[in-house]
Amino acid sequence: QVQLVESGGGLVQAGGSLRLSCVASGRTLSSLTMAWFRQSPGKEREFVARIRRSGGTTTYGDYVKGRFTISRDHAKNTVYLQMNSLNPEDTAVYYCTAASDWPPQGYAFWGKGTNVTVSS
């Protein structure tokens, strides 16, 4: 079993930056594909970014390319999402998730989410 705990959300003005963190326990990051999803009010959950369990290959949703960066620190068993040039459309609950395969066929483990609000 894998437990995921997100942090780093908050209120930021448009154009600002935030860095989200997700601490994993129960398994090491080297055995997990890690990803971030988000869900805005009234919308379906959507993919933001993912990072391969080995080698560091990353994939991004089209609407965050060039602005968001996913990274991982194996020593801290933590994955990060650096978010720059934020705009109000990025307002959402951001979820950290993990899968055991690549490419992931499904994400078995989810955190409870962290709120991000971008004001105009």
Side-chain angles (χ1 to χ4, degrees):
Q1 192 71 296
V2 176
Q3 292 78 43
L4 303 171
V5 179
E6 304 98 332
S7 63
L11 174 64
V12 64
Q13 288 188 332
S17 299
L18 281 175
R19 188 178 78 158
L20 306 183
S21 300
C22 173
V23 179
S25 59
R27 284 173 59 181
T28 60
L29 289 189
S30 59
S31 69
L32 297 168
T33 293
M34 301 298 296
W36 290 92
F37 283 72
R38 68 185 185 185
Q39 188 166 20
S40 304
K43 296 185 178 180
E44 293 187 355
R45 190 173 295 184
E46 60 183 10
F47 168 76
V48 175
R50 69 185 182 191
I51 186 165
R52 189 171 181 171
R53 55 186 177 179
S54 62
T57 301
T58 56
T59 310
Y60 295 93
D62 288 342
Y63 31 82
V64 305
K65 283 181 180 177
R67 299 189 298 125
F68 291 11
T69 303
I70 188 171
S71 62
R72 60 205 294 167
D73 185 331
H74 286 274
K76 296 182 179 180
N77 227 41
T78 299
V79 64
Y80 302 99
L81 184 68
Q82 178 66 45
M83 305 186 296
N84 299 327
S85 301
L86 287 161
N87 58 64
E89 290 69 39
D90 295 316
T91 295
V93 178
Y94 283 72
Y95 296 92
C96 177
T97 184
S100 299
D101 52 355
W102 179 271
Q105 302 303 306
Y107 292 92
F109 310 104
W110 292 82
K112 294 183 178 180
T114 185
N115 278 289
V116 172
T117 302
V118 184
S119 62
S120 58

